[in-house]
Amino acid sequence: MIAASSGLRWGEITALTGQDVRVERDAGGAVRAVRVTVDKGVVRARGQMIVREPKTPTSNRTIAVYGADRRDPEGDDGSPRAQHDDGSDAIPARRYP
């Protein structure tokens, strides 16, 4: 689900761990939101796969991949909303038909 709906790059998806995925539940235990923190990626160097930090600090972000905050109050297209570590909005991932 994360790969299909997040707009993340291959290396970012490959580097995800369970600690990077946060599931928020309501009082009844139903899933309210799922957020993914992107702070590393897998790259190929000299024939090996290496996990490393992104090249730029703005690549560190948190993306809502499920839940109410995927849409803004004005009613956008439902693309995942990314947020940088400083709390500013990143450009939403694009959806292709």
Side-chain angles (χ1 to χ4, degrees), residues 2-3 5-16 19-22 34-42 52-65 80-94:
I2 292 171
S5 65
S6 67
L8 294 176
R9 298 173 184 97
W10 175 87
E12 294 170 334
I13 293 169
T14 305
L16 290 176
Q19 295 175 346
D20 299 321
V21 180
R22 189 172 74 222
V34 177
R35 291 183 172 80
V36 176
T37 299
V38 179
D39 59 1
K40 60 190 166 295
V42 172
R52 60 174 246 186
E53 293 181 4
K55 292 180 189 175
T56 63
T58 56
S59 292
N60 291 323
R61 61 203 186 278
T62 299
I63 299 173
V65 294
R81 304 250 348 220
Q83 200 170 46
H84 294 295
D85 285 344
D86 65 4
S88 63
D89 280 343
I91 299 171
R94 297 194 120 223

